[in-house]
Amino acid sequence: MNNSFLSNTFSAPTWIWYPGDFEIVLANKMQNRRTERGTFFPVFWKIDAHYVLMDFHKVFDVPAEETVDIYVEGEYNVKIDGIAFEGSPKQIVVPAGKHKINIKVFNQANVPAIYVKGKTIVSDATWLVTFEDKEWIDETGKASDISATKWLNAGSSNFNSPAQLPSEFMLPTRKQSAVSTIKGKNSLLVDFGKETFGFIQLHGLSGKGKLSVYYGESEEEALSTEHCETLDRVDVNTQEKKDEIMKLSKAYRFVNVQCDEGVTLDSVSMLYEYADVKERGSFTCNDEEINRIYDVSKYTFELNTREFFIDGIKRDRWIWSGDAYQSYLMNYYLYFDNETVKRTTYALRGKDPVTGHINTIMDYTFYWFLGIYDYYLYTGDQNFIAQNYDRMKTLMDYVLARRNKDGLMEWMSGDWIFIDWAAGLSKKGEVSFEQLLLARSLETMALCANIANDTDAATQYNTLAADMRKKLFNIYWNDTKQALVHSRVDGKQTENVTRYANMFSIFFDYFNEQQKEQVKTSVLLNDHIQKITTPYMRFYELEALCALGEQNYVLKEMKDYWGGMLKLGATSFWEEYNPDKKGAEHYAMYGREFGKSLCHAWGASPLYLLGKYYLGVKPTAPGYSEYVVEPNLGGLEWMEGKVPTPQGEIELYVSTNEIKITGAAGTGVLKFSSRSKPVCSEGNVEDKGDGNYELTVEKEKSYTVNYN
């Protein structure tokens, strides 16, 4: 990037910082709030910190003298054209003309950040920042900035008031009452009616002694004082009644409060903590069970959308790359909230040097790359790609350096190959799924290298990606099994066939049409292939089937799987669901009675499936400049909904004889089948043969198609 940025563009001021630093520090705060039964439980991967010294600068062409207010988090100095103001001024006067403004900030405790507000001089993402102080005196005796300094555009995140200090950011809360309370001797069992998240508030607390709060996603967990996953202890010593709020937000539906004899408590309520994001997508249809599945998916996703996209609200509350990748996709069909995607991406990546895989998991490193690929497709945001390209390169360098002699990914010391929670799933040898994810990650690198004008690297990454795809089929495809086998060990294919690489190859479009049909029969619809029991991988399995046009089958699967959880009383969707389990068996996982999360982000995947494969809306060019709409009722009588884009919502209604659509962004193509010639007075329906038709959808125009 250039070392200066000259602009007469006037924008609203916002707090700015080094890109990724605020996100990393916020993630550190959030992820290290985890406790297990009152014991601090930190993450087990490398934690990075912010850069403590930051140089901010920008060149302005000021039309007339103006007064500029300066707000800073940290110690700082201010310069105009290399000349420093005395002290640390909160206001400066900038004369008319072209001037370079530098603000240098030191902050060890929090992220160095600035907020600058004048008439034309404001802080925004066009400012340049660096953590490398390369200002010195050259041979002429003049101060200069060395061109080798690495400057990036500043980071920001809608902190648009000087009073909105980034260091003090907290999620908003609102009061929420219990739906029922059962009083016992020195106890209260409180039910909030559904899964929820926030701070428990104790009302009318008095006396002297101890009070314990036991949290439960189920009543059984709350009542199990020995085995519930989370709890709070309170020392009470007050004669006057008072209210007390627990220090940490927690997940629960039920709360069991136990008091010593000398302690009294009137009631319990909560402060519900939430991310202030807006729903833009929607879906409804004639099937009330599907509507209920969609609504509970929305609520599940709401609970797990916090400062970042997290895995589950009870146990980890960490940012796991595999979970986040699915959340990004669901987000594009519900919120289309770019800021949470970007914050999560920054937080997961951290800083150089790279010393291990993201979350220590090989596949989770690859999901990080895939998340950037999709982010660009859905948003068209090239600036974010450019900001992260160097981080992408060093992470990919780490990956490529860990290939074996055959150029394949294989377990090395320090790696965790996860794939899925599945009994007996082998991680030995060279697993086909990891090679597939590497191929897609290399394709992402080629795409981003072109955006960053790194053409030589783009050529290299494209060559590596093509080589990986060739190896994938040469090494793992088995004509007899009509599928990719799970792994190669000691240079030989194993006999095992699993669903993972096969289903991803379908929606990555790596298979030809014949292979897709073969895999559908030999793997996806084959009950002899090990079944998937986590919503995590059901997400991809059902996506693959939808990509093959099996929406009728998938609708039944959604009703069986997600509907099965609803029949058991679920108010949010779980980390894992096995219909063969009974009663409280459903709550156990990881060898613990209540180890399973009953509100897990990956359980909300119907949001994505119903938006992309039933309403059928998907971008085909970055930022929805081009998109297709291929509605598929999948056995429904009618459906309607909205799909958000960068420029508004695509609105759609579909029945067996009518389609209504309103465009939002770019140019869309509505694709559908009809037994008779369709009629549309607002546009020209093209006959593509074999009963297939297309209609071009222009921005902000509405169309009604009558078809059969």
Side-chain angles (χ1 to χ4, degrees):
M1 289 187 181
N2 294 329
N3 275 15
S4 62
F5 190 98
L6 176 62
S7 175
N8 287 323
T9 301
F10 307 148
S11 61
T14 190
W15 283 95
I16 59 174
W17 50 77
Y18 188 83
D21 270 13
F22 167 75
E23 295 80 0
I24 287 169
V25 169
L26 185 63
N28 290 346
K29 291 178 181 177
M30 188 199 72
Q31 295 189 113
N32 287 291
R33 293 182 196 138
R34 178 180 176 179
T35 60
E36 285 196 0
R37 296 186 62 80
T39 301
F40 168 57
F41 196 118
V43 299
F44 50 82
W45 47 81
K46 178 171 75 81
I47 289 182
D48 293 313
H50 63 278
Y51 293 119
V52 300
L53 181 63
M54 194 57 48
D55 191 349
F56 300 84
H57 89 245
K58 183 174 176 179
V59 176
F60 291 89
D61 197 350
V62 185
E65 179 182 282
E66 67 180 88
T67 300
V68 179
D69 294 317
I70 298 174
Y71 304 85
V72 179
E73 291 225 78
E75 299 176 55
Y76 65 100
N77 65 40
V78 182
K79 295 179 183 177
I80 291 184
D81 303 325
I83 306 300
F85 286 85
E86 181 178 333
S88 298
K90 295 182 179 179
Q91 192 176 77
I92 61 173
V93 176
V94 179
K98 182 179 175 182
H99 300 286
K100 179 178 179 180
I101 298 179
N102 278 80
I103 303 177
K104 194 165 294 183
V105 185
F106 170 79
N107 194 330
Q108 185 83 41
N110 296 302
V111 175
I114 65 171
Y115 181 99
V116 177
K117 183 180 181 181
K119 185 176 181 181
T120 65
I121 299 172
V122 299
S123 52
D124 58 23
T126 62
W127 283 60
L128 299 180
V129 298
T130 183
F131 60 89
E132 296 178 307
D133 188 352
K134 292 294 181 73
E135 188 178 54
W136 54 31
I137 303 300
D138 65 18
E139 64 275 8
T140 67
K142 296 181 180 179
S144 62
D145 287 319
I146 303 306
S147 60
T149 301
K150 181 62 181 178
W151 296 93
L152 291 175
N153 285 107
S156 63
S157 188
N158 297 325
F159 291 87
N160 299 328
S161 162
Q164 266 185 297
L165 299 180
S167 63
E168 295 179 0
F169 173 73
M170 294 179 64
L171 293 178
T173 61
R174 62 175 179 260
K175 294 181 179 180
Q176 188 166 299
S177 300
V179 299
S180 70
T181 300
I182 299 174
K183 292 190 175 183
K185 184 180 180 181
N186 303 319
S187 70
L188 293 177
L189 179 62
V190 181
D191 180 7
F192 288 93
K194 61 181 179 180
E195 180 87 15
T196 190
F197 187 88
F199 301 88
I200 283 295
Q201 190 165 15
L202 307 174
H203 300 282
L205 185 64
S206 66
K208 185 174 182 179
K210 293 187 178 297
L211 176 148
S212 296
V213 182
Y214 303 100
Y215 299 89
E217 291 186 303
S218 62
E219 184 175 355
E220 291 91 335
E221 182 179 11
L223 292 173
S224 180
T225 58
E226 294 297 319
H227 299 290
C228 65
E229 293 282 307
T230 56
L231 54 79
D232 275 317
R233 311 284 192 193
V234 180
D235 289 319
V236 183
N237 188 4
T238 178
Q239 296 308 309
E240 295 184 2
K241 288 188 175 184
K242 68 172 188 176
D243 294 350
E244 184 163 341
I245 300 173
M246 299 298 98
K247 292 181 180 179
L248 290 177
S249 52
K250 300 238 181 12
Y252 44 87
R253 172 179 170 176
F254 296 90
V255 174
N256 174 20
V257 182
Q258 300 281 338
C259 305
D260 284 354
E261 287 283 351
V263 175
T264 62
L265 176 67
D266 290 344
S267 64
V268 176
S269 69
M270 69 172 292
L271 295 174
Y272 177 70
E273 186 184 54
Y274 61 97
D276 191 15
V277 293
K278 308 302 181 187
E279 288 183 12
R280 293 178 54 199
S282 65
F283 181 91
T284 188
C285 66
N286 64 284
D287 189 315
E288 286 305 316
E289 185 176 26
I290 292 296
N291 292 339
R292 175 67 176 152
I293 288 169
Y294 183 82
D295 288 343
V296 175
S297 295
K298 280 199 308 182
Y299 185 59
T300 301
F301 195 54
E302 174 187 321
L303 288 168
N304 286 288
T305 302
R306 315 215 61 73
E307 297 95 327
F308 305 89
F309 291 123
I310 62 170
D311 62 331
I313 58 174
K314 177 176 78 171
R315 195 188 57 245
D316 292 14
R317 294 159 57 176
W318 291 345
I319 309 169
W320 291 96
S321 183
D323 307 60
Y325 176 61
Q326 294 190 355
S327 291
Y328 303 154
L329 295 173
M330 292 180 260
N331 166 69
Y332 298 134
Y333 287 89
L334 184 62
Y335 302 135
F336 211 95
D337 182 65
N338 294 357
E339 291 303 309
T340 309
V341 176
K342 291 191 291 185
R343 278 199 301 272
T344 306
T345 302
Y346 274 128
L348 282 166
R349 173 59 182 86
K351 294 186 173 181
D352 291 331
V354 181
T355 59
H357 283 296
I358 290 177
N359 305 129
T360 74
I361 301 175
M362 185 188 295
D363 17 320
Y364 280 25
T365 292
F366 297 135
Y367 286 130
W368 187 83
F369 288 108
L370 270 56
I372 289 179
Y373 183 101
D374 289 326
Y375 176 79
Y376 180 60
L377 177 62
Y378 280 90
T379 69
D381 182 357
Q382 292 193 7
N383 290 332
F384 185 67
I385 303 299
Q387 291 281 75
N388 278 277
Y389 180 63
D390 285 346
R391 303 175 203 222
M392 296 178 69
K393 285 179 66 178
T394 51
L395 183 58
M396 182 54 75
D397 288 344
Y398 174 83
V399 169
L400 295 176
R402 293 175 75 81
R403 293 173 296 171
N404 66 15
K405 61 181 177 59
D406 295 322
L408 300 174
M409 301 304 298
E410 188 174 9
W411 180 88
M412 294 179 65
S413 179
D415 294 350
W416 176 8
I417 297 177
F418 172 59
I419 304 175
D420 191 21
W421 296 121
L425 184 63
S426 173
K427 315 293 174 65
K428 186 179 179 182
E430 302 143 335
V431 178
S432 58
F433 184 62
E434 303 298 336
Q435 320 312 319
L436 175 139
L437 293 181
L438 174 57
R440 190 62 155 192
S441 298
L442 288 164
E443 290 171 354
T444 300
M445 287 302 305
L447 172 76
C448 295
N450 279 319
I451 292 171
N453 296 316
D454 191 355
T455 54
D456 289 343
T459 300
Q460 178 188 12
Y461 291 130
N462 272 320
T463 300
L464 289 168
D467 180 62
M468 282 306 305
R469 286 181 63 168
K470 183 178 179 181
K471 286 178 178 177
L472 183 68
F473 287 93
N474 287 347
I475 293 173
Y476 298 100
W477 181 260
N478 187 300
D479 285 327
T480 302
K481 298 180 184 294
Q482 295 188 335
L484 296 167
V485 299
H486 178 70
S487 58
R488 184 178 79 164
V489 177
D490 297 329
K492 296 180 180 179
Q493 279 190 3
T494 59
E495 292 295 314
N496 190 25
V497 172
T498 55
R499 298 173 187 266
Y500 309 107
N502 289 289
M503 60 198 190
F504 273 67
S505 291
I506 289 170
F507 51 78
F508 282 178
D509 207 25
Y510 282 6
F511 287 143
N512 59 38
E513 293 305 312
Q514 180 183 3
Q515 288 171 325
K516 287 179 182 178
E517 289 302 315
Q518 289 173 335
V519 166
K520 181 169 74 172
T521 302
S522 63
V523 180
L524 297 182
L525 301 179
N526 184 355
D527 288 340
H528 295 292
I529 302 297
Q530 185 176 6
K531 292 184 178 180
I532 292 170
T533 61
T534 60
Y536 177 49
M537 278 293 162
R538 291 286 283 179
F539 180 106
Y540 300 117
E541 182 180 31
L542 297 183
E543 177 171 16
L545 286 163
C546 284
L548 293 171
E550 293 291 333
Q551 274 80 345
N552 290 63
Y553 177 87
V554 171
L555 194 75
K556 181 180 180 301
E557 289 295 298
M558 274 197 275
K559 288 165 72 73
D560 287 347
Y561 193 80
W562 281 267
M565 285 186 262
L566 293 180
K567 289 180 177 66
L568 291 173
T571 60
S572 57
F573 289 128
W574 304 346
E575 181 177 14
E576 181 259 5
Y577 168 60
N578 184 343
D580 295 332
K581 293 181 179 179
K582 305 295 181 185
E585 291 178 359
H586 285 290
Y587 308 140
M589 204 167 177
Y590 310 110
R592 306 198 301 271
E593 285 186 39
F594 303 102
K596 184 187 297 180
S597 163
L598 299 189
C599 180
H600 225 66
W602 66 36
S605 56
L607 298 173
Y608 173 67
L609 297 172
L610 292 168
K612 184 175 182 179
Y613 291 104
Y614 288 80
L615 295 177
V617 179
K618 46 187 173 288
T620 54
Y624 277 92
S625 59
E626 298 175 9
Y627 62 93
V628 297
V629 181
E630 298 180 84
N632 191 321
L633 286 163
L636 297 170
E637 296 175 10
W638 62 266
M639 62 183 177
E640 64 180 333
K642 296 179 181 180
V643 173
T645 78
Q647 300 178 51
E649 287 77 48
I650 297 168
E651 299 182 30
L652 191 67
Y653 169 85
V654 183
S655 68
T656 56
N657 56 21
E658 186 179 55
I659 300 173
K660 295 180 180 180
I661 185 170
T662 301
T667 301
V669 178
L670 173 66
K671 298 183 178 183
F672 62 99
S673 299
S674 179
R675 290 197 294 268
S676 59
K677 184 174 176 57
V679 177
C680 177
S681 60
E682 299 88 358
N684 179 41
V685 178
E686 294 185 53
D687 188 343
K688 294 297 183 179
D690 297 324
N692 297 311
Y693 297 88
E694 292 185 3
L695 171 70
T696 299
V697 179
E698 299 295 346
K699 183 179 179 181
E700 296 180 351
K701 291 186 177 180
S702 299
Y703 306 82
T704 299
V705 179
N706 295 302
Y707 77 116
N708 187 6

